[in-house]
Amino acid sequence: MSLAEETRSGLERYLREIWNEDVALGEVTFASAGARRRNALCCARRASGEEVELCATIIPVAAMQVLPIEIEASHLQLAERAGLPVPHVYGVSTDESFLGGPFFVSSQVHGETIPRRILRLARDTPGLGDAVGEQMGEALARLHAVRAEEAHADISRPDGHDPIAGALERVGKQVAAMLHPSPTLALVHSWLSRNRPAAPERLCVVHGDFRNGNVSIDASGLTGVLDWEICHLGDPVEDLAWVCQRMWRFRNDELEVGGLSGRDALRRGYERAGGTWNEETFFWWKVFGGLRWAVGLHDQARAHLDGSVPSVIMAASGRRVCELEYDLLRLLEDQLAG
């Protein structure tokens, strides 16, 4: 039996169980979902005759799970209540007898998800890039307005009230543990430590990986915010700076927000929806984001080398660390020269 057939059979059994009715699935296809998971797409016909387009997000190997699947699903549900465009979660399971690993089942979202296709769509649709930039700002403002108490009890959170101190400590340990020392990354960490901003007034729900590549977009604008596996409590500015990192522009360097729009569009949408923008804190988190991704790429390559997550995608991540070193030095050029 092929993987698609096994997935179809297991998913039918699961849906019959949670919906307590007969369910028939059409053909199962797989969409790209990065190195750690797979997404199975299908259409389910319920006993009532209703057809539902579904996506099963499956973690095929337990070691690849960043956090428990039920917590990730809860983040989607929280975001849906906050008014963000996210898939609706129908069910979540840790029973590996259905699909071979933990999974959740949600509605499909439509639109482009591959960054290069998103950028071509924006290029060919007048005004779309700026509209998406504003919609991204609005979506983040709605998320950041959610009270921390509404999040899952086991959501990742910083010790105490200062997410900046925790972030610096965590990334500092990663820099120190690199297989090959990086004077550039050590210098950047030192600058961040000397120039750290004040802790936010309150902890917010932070997506953690909001960017071009984790959203879906069609000609009408933003249709989905995806990949909630590292959602946590922290400083809301972290999300705003992350979407503006150079690596998410895919060579459209002049358009800071994912290669789609300038920063002003993101800020307009964020402030219009009730968010507060702080330019100095934004710059600090932008520098931190570059360092975070540099050590993250290094650790992905190491996971392949030590055999914990064998993957060509993970292995290839290591070659990009030098790109981030270059970006960080350019970003800090004026500050370091002064």
Side-chain angles (χ1 to χ4, degrees), residues 74-86 135-151 155 202-210 225-228 230-236 238-240 269-270 273-275:
S74 78
H75 296 159
L76 279 165
Q77 293 166 325
L78 179 148
E80 183 178 25
R81 292 193 299 272
L84 277 73
V86 294
Q135 290 167 348
M136 286 180 166
E138 291 171 358
L140 287 175
R142 293 191 188 102
L143 177 66
H144 298 158
V146 174
R147 294 185 300 110
E149 295 76 15
E150 296 180 46
I155 190 173
R202 66 181 183 90
L203 294 178
C204 297
V205 177
V206 176
H207 181 281
D209 200 12
F210 187 96
V225 180
L226 312 172
D227 198 356
W228 291 78
I230 59 172
C231 181
H232 58 277
L233 297 184
D235 188 335
E238 179 184 350
D239 274 337
L240 296 166
Y270 192 70

Side-chain angles (χ1 to χ4, degrees), residues 156-235:
S156 176
R157 63 189 70 219
D159 294 332
H161 186 74
D162 189 354
I164 291 172
L168 275 172
E169 180 180 5
R170 182 173 62 254
V171 79
K173 290 178 179 178
Q174 290 176 282
V175 171
M178 292 179 70
L179 295 174
H180 299 284
S182 169
T184 296
L185 300 187
L187 172 68
V188 172
H189 184 261
S190 175
W191 183 91
L192 288 165
S193 300
R194 296 194 311 272
N195 293 276
R196 52 186 290 184
E201 294 181 1
R202 66 181 183 90
L203 294 178
C204 297
V205 177
V206 176
H207 181 281
D209 200 12
F210 187 96
R211 59 178 175 84
N212 188 0
N214 282 337
V215 295
S216 57
I217 292 169
D218 67 12
S220 67
L222 182 67
T223 61
V225 180
L226 312 172
D227 198 356
W228 291 78
E229 63 182 344
I230 59 172
C231 181
H232 58 277
L233 297 184
D235 188 335

Side-chain angles (χ1 to χ4, degrees), residues 2-305:
S2 69
L3 178 60
E5 290 169 335
E6 290 178 354
T7 302
R8 181 175 179 270
S9 175
L11 194 51
E12 278 185 344
R13 286 191 294 111
Y14 174 71
L15 293 172
R16 287 168 184 163
E17 183 176 298
I18 65 168
W19 285 343
N20 195 30
E21 62 180 274
D22 189 39
V23 180
L25 296 188
E27 180 184 5
V28 170
T29 60
F30 294 100
S32 172
R36 297 180 183 271
R37 56 180 61 199
R38 61 175 179 263
N39 285 339
L41 307 177
C42 62
C43 183
R45 178 181 288 273
R46 305 183 64 162
S48 64
E50 178 189 8
E51 292 189 350
V52 186
E53 292 184 311
L54 299 176
C55 174
T57 299
I58 308 161
I59 311 297
V61 179
M64 293 184 176
Q65 185 169 252
V66 175
L67 82 168
I69 198 78
E70 63 272 17
I71 300 179
E72 180 179 354
S74 78
H75 296 159
L76 279 165
Q77 293 166 325
L78 179 148
E80 183 178 25
R81 292 193 299 272
L84 277 73
V86 294
H88 173 75
V89 175
Y90 288 101
V92 57
S93 176
T94 57
D95 185 343
E96 297 184 7
S97 68
F98 289 110
L99 299 176
F103 65 95
F104 65 85
V105 181
S106 65
S107 60
Q108 291 184 30
V109 294
H110 294 284
E112 297 289 357
T113 58
I114 298 174
R116 278 320 220 162
R117 292 180 181 174
I118 286 174
L119 295 183
R120 283 196 292 269
L121 177 63
R123 180 197 63 197
D124 297 337
T125 310
L128 180 60
D130 279 347
V132 170
E134 292 191 27
Q135 290 167 348
M136 286 180 166
E138 291 171 358
L140 287 175
R142 293 191 188 102
L143 177 66
H144 298 158
V146 174
R147 294 185 300 110
E149 295 76 15
E150 296 180 46
H152 193 284
D154 294 327
I155 190 173
S156 176
R157 63 189 70 219
D159 294 332
H161 186 74
D162 189 354
I164 291 172
L168 275 172
E169 180 180 5
R170 182 173 62 254
V171 79
K173 290 178 179 178
Q174 290 176 282
V175 171
M178 292 179 70
L179 295 174
H180 299 284
S182 169
T184 296
L185 300 187
L187 172 68
V188 172
H189 184 261
S190 175
W191 183 91
L192 288 165
S193 300
R194 296 194 311 272
N195 293 276
R196 52 186 290 184
E201 294 181 1
R202 66 181 183 90
L203 294 178
C204 297
V205 177
V206 176
H207 181 281
D209 200 12
F210 187 96
R211 59 178 175 84
N212 188 0
N214 282 337
V215 295
S216 57
I217 292 169
D218 67 12
S220 67
L222 182 67
T223 61
V225 180
L226 312 172
D227 198 356
W228 291 78
E229 63 182 344
I230 59 172
C231 181
H232 58 277
L233 297 184
D235 188 335
V237 187
E238 179 184 350
D239 274 337
L240 296 166
W242 188 246
V243 72
C244 291
Q245 292 290 328
R246 180 171 174 259
M247 58 268 191
W248 313 132
R249 302 175 201 164
F250 301 93
R251 298 185 182 179
N252 278 16
D253 284 352
E254 71 281 4
L255 297 176
E256 190 175 10
V257 183
L260 293 161
S261 77
R263 188 191 308 176
D264 288 346
L266 180 73
R267 182 170 182 169
R268 281 196 305 273
Y270 192 70
E271 292 181 332
R272 183 169 61 237
T276 300
W277 189 282
N278 183 299
E279 196 66 33
E280 291 184 3
T281 305
F282 172 87
F283 182 77
W284 189 92
W285 276 109
K286 192 171 180 185
V287 175
F288 178 87
L291 178 58
R292 163 193 161 188
W293 191 227
V295 295
L297 289 167
H298 167 274
D299 290 351
Q300 286 185 10
R302 177 158 55 188
H304 171 79
L305 292 173

